[in-house]
């Protein structure tokens, strides 16, 4: 695509060109909905930190129990000793940053506002439906089966496909390990969640949040739930993620070589509400750009999603009707991220 046809479509390029002290009005939130950056709760370990190394020895049942408790009470937890080498994590962050430093014309080869495309570079969240824009650009990739999609990914920067492909394989292994633990924590056989997701799918969003001259007026992403099964998040060293706990936003500061796990809508359904998909958001800052890599592990499009019969009783009535993930996913992309919950549309 030739640069003559690009009219500041991407936020990052607009920021670099204009170098303004103000943000465009399309990014400004109403006063009562803006992030109050002075009233955030923060600590180094604000959500449970679980050591997965102990899953491979006699502590397995204790780790499963800890994961279940985190899913039930928080919907979020961190993991360390997760089996993905530090070099794989650092290379993933490095190549992601390099991608967003490529010339505009090169990056725009992947641009699309069609959420069904296997590879697409876009901005904000859903430019077709949202009322207020988010301070974010992102590259979204389909990742599983890897051999079906890797050749469609950008080939620039050099070794992008190799580095991102290796990370995707490692994250899938971790996702399956976590799904087994989540199944066991619910009293189900360990392959329950994996089977419930059908042939399975794996998507990735490489998020780029440029420095923002007025971070108190906007969001990197507003509060939302994830539509998939579980999300595995890799962050750089710049804080930005916040989780809603007891009506207050809690900052989740990055810890070296850890990954953040959160429960998506599909696990909430499959667990019949035992485990909750929790609201979370991303804030931005004035001085630093931020990179995060979110892996969304999800059901296949034709997978039939419904609560496990064994988890339905008088105290826990069925929370949703039966649906396919394709029905859910299509509905999700018709909604405004910041104002509607897709899960509500499928509740009994």
């Amino acid at each position: 695509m030739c640069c003559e046809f690009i009219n500041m479509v991407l936020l990052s390029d607009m920021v670099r060109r204009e170098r303004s002290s103000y943000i465009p009005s399309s990014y400004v939130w109403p006063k009562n909905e803006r992030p109050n950056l002075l009233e955030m709760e923060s600590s180094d370990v604000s959500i449970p930190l679980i050591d997965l190394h102990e899953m491979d020895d006699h502590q397995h049942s204790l780790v499963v129990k800890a994961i279940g408790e985190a899913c039930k009470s928080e919907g979020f937890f961190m993991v360390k000793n997760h089996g993905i080498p530090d070099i794989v994590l650092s290379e993933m962050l490095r190549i992601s940053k390099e991608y967003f430093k490529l010339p505009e014309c090169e990056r725009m080869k992947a641009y699309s506002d069609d959420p069904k495309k296997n590879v697409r570079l876009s901005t904000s969240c859903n430019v077709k439906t949202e009322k207020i824009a988010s301070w974010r650009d992102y590259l979204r990739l389909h990742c599983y089966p890897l051999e079906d999609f890797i050749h469609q990914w950008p080939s620039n920067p050099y070794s992008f496909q190799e580095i991102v492909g290796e990370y995707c394989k490692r994250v899938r292994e971790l996702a399956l390990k976590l799904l087994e633990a989540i199944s066991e924590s619910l009293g189900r056989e360990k392959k329950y969640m994996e089977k419930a997701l059908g042939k399975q799918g794996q998507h990735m969003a490489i998020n780029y949040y440029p420095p923002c001259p007025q971070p108190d007026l906007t969001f990197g992403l507003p509060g939302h739930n994830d539509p998939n099964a579980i999300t595995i998040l890799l962050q750089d060293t710049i804080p930005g993620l916040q989780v809603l706990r007891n009506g207050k936003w809690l900052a989740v500061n990055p810890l070296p070589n850890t990954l953040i796990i959160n429960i998506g809508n599909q696990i909430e359904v499959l667990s019949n509400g035992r485990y909750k998909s929790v609201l979370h958001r991303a804030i931005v800052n004035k001085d630093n750009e931020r990179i995060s890599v979110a892996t969304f592990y999800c059901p296949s499009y034709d997978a039939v999603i419904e609560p496990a019969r064994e988890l339905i009783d008088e105290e826990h009535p069925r929370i949703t009707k039966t649906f396919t993930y394709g029905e859910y996913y299509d509905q999700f992309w018709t909604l405004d991220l910041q104002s509607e919950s897709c899960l509500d549309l499928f509740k009994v």
Side-chain angles (χ1 to χ4, degrees):
M1 183 180 293
C2 186
C3 284
E4 286 90 350
F5 298 102
I6 300 170
N7 185 23
M8 298 186 183
V9 173
L10 294 175
L11 169 67
S12 52
D13 298 309
M14 179 191 74
V15 170
R16 292 183 189 118
R17 282 194 287 252
E18 294 189 358
R19 299 184 180 275
S20 174
S21 299
Y22 304 94
I23 66 174
S25 60
S26 57
Y27 291 88
V28 176
W29 281 72
K31 286 185 179 181
N32 63 332
E33 299 180 44
R34 296 172 187 172
N36 189 334
L37 302 180
L38 300 178
E39 293 186 1
M40 302 300 170
E41 296 186 3
S42 178
S43 67
D44 287 339
V45 184
S46 52
I47 57 176
L49 176 60
I50 298 174
D51 189 344
L52 295 187
H53 177 70
E54 296 175 349
M55 284 191 74
D56 299 324
D57 57 27
H58 61 284
Q59 301 294 322
H60 176 88
S61 62
L62 293 179
V63 176
V64 168
K65 182 179 178 181
I67 289 174
E69 290 175 349
C71 292
K72 184 176 181 179
S73 63
E74 304 282 349
F76 267 81
F77 57 96
M78 290 186 189
V79 293
K80 64 179 182 178
N81 295 322
H82 39 65
I84 303 179
D86 296 351
I87 187 64
V88 174
L89 302 182
S90 60
E91 282 293 277
M92 183 66 220
L93 289 170
R94 179 188 65 80
I95 205 73
S96 298
K97 191 170 184 177
E98 280 189 22
Y99 176 81
F100 282 100
K101 298 299 183 185
L102 289 173
E104 185 177 7
C105 285
E106 182 65 26
R107 281 177 288 121
M108 288 299 292
K109 292 176 181 177
Y111 184 83
S112 174
D113 60 8
D114 180 0
K116 291 188 177 181
K117 292 202 70 172
N118 297 334
V119 177
R120 66 185 183 100
L121 176 70
S122 195
T123 191
S124 189
C125 182
N126 189 347
V127 295
K128 290 183 176 180
T129 62
E130 62 197 7
K131 300 177 180 67
I132 305 173
S134 297
W135 199 262
R136 174 185 81 137
D137 289 339
Y138 63 97
L139 177 66
R140 194 171 180 100
L141 307 172
H142 284 219
C143 310
Y144 180 78
L146 186 61
E147 62 273 15
D148 290 352
F149 299 114
I150 191 170
H151 64 281
Q152 301 176 33
W153 297 354
S155 56
N156 194 7
Y158 177 74
S159 68
F160 180 92
Q161 295 180 359
E162 176 186 353
I163 290 170
V164 178
E166 178 64 20
Y167 178 78
C168 287
K169 287 188 288 185
R170 299 277 190 164
V171 169
R172 180 171 185 268
E173 292 172 359
L174 175 59
L176 293 175
K177 187 175 184 179
L178 291 169
L179 287 172
E180 288 185 354
I182 291 170
S183 298
E184 291 181 280
S185 73
L186 288 165
R188 314 305 307 138
E189 61 97 8
K190 67 179 184 179
K191 293 295 183 182
Y192 165 68
M193 286 292 174
E194 182 180 340
K195 292 176 181 176
L197 303 185
K199 298 175 184 177
Q200 305 157 43
Q202 181 179 341
H203 304 167
M204 171 189 287
I206 303 176
N207 302 307
Y208 177 74
Y209 303 96
C212 178
Q214 295 176 295
D216 55 329
L217 302 184
T218 192
F219 293 101
L221 277 175
H224 64 283
N225 307 105
D226 290 347
N228 48 289
I230 59 171
T231 300
I232 300 175
L233 183 72
L234 170 65
Q235 302 187 91
D236 64 11
T237 59
I238 306 301
L241 175 66
Q242 296 184 339
V243 177
L244 189 64
R245 176 196 283 172
N246 299 324
K248 294 184 178 181
W249 288 102
L250 181 71
V252 182
N253 293 329
L255 293 179
N257 303 316
T258 62
L259 294 165
I260 294 173
I261 315 301
N262 71 274
I263 298 302
N265 290 155
Q266 308 312 309
I267 295 291
E268 181 168 347
V269 173
L270 293 168
S271 70
N272 197 39
R274 301 291 213 283
Y275 298 162
K276 302 293 186 183
S277 179
V278 176
L279 283 173
H280 53 287
R281 68 186 189 183
I283 61 169
V284 290
N285 70 85
K286 196 170 187 176
D287 301 314
N288 299 296
E289 63 187 6
R290 175 174 175 256
I291 292 282
S292 72
V293 181
T295 295
F296 306 108
Y297 208 77
C298 50
S300 55
Y301 206 70
D302 59 353
V304 177
I305 306 299
E306 61 184 353
R309 295 175 188 173
E310 297 82 358
L311 299 178
I312 301 173
D313 55 36
E314 289 186 6
E315 292 184 15
H316 305 90
R318 183 182 181 122
I319 64 169
T320 67
K321 59 186 179 181
T322 300
F323 55 86
T324 66
Y325 184 63
E327 291 171 332
Y328 192 95
Y329 194 69
D330 288 348
Q331 187 68 56
F332 175 80
W333 284 106
T334 68
L335 302 178
D336 185 346
L337 180 71
Q338 59 259 37
S339 66
E340 299 175 271
S341 173
C342 190
L343 190 57
D344 290 341
L345 302 178
F346 292 84
K347 287 186 175 178
V348 173

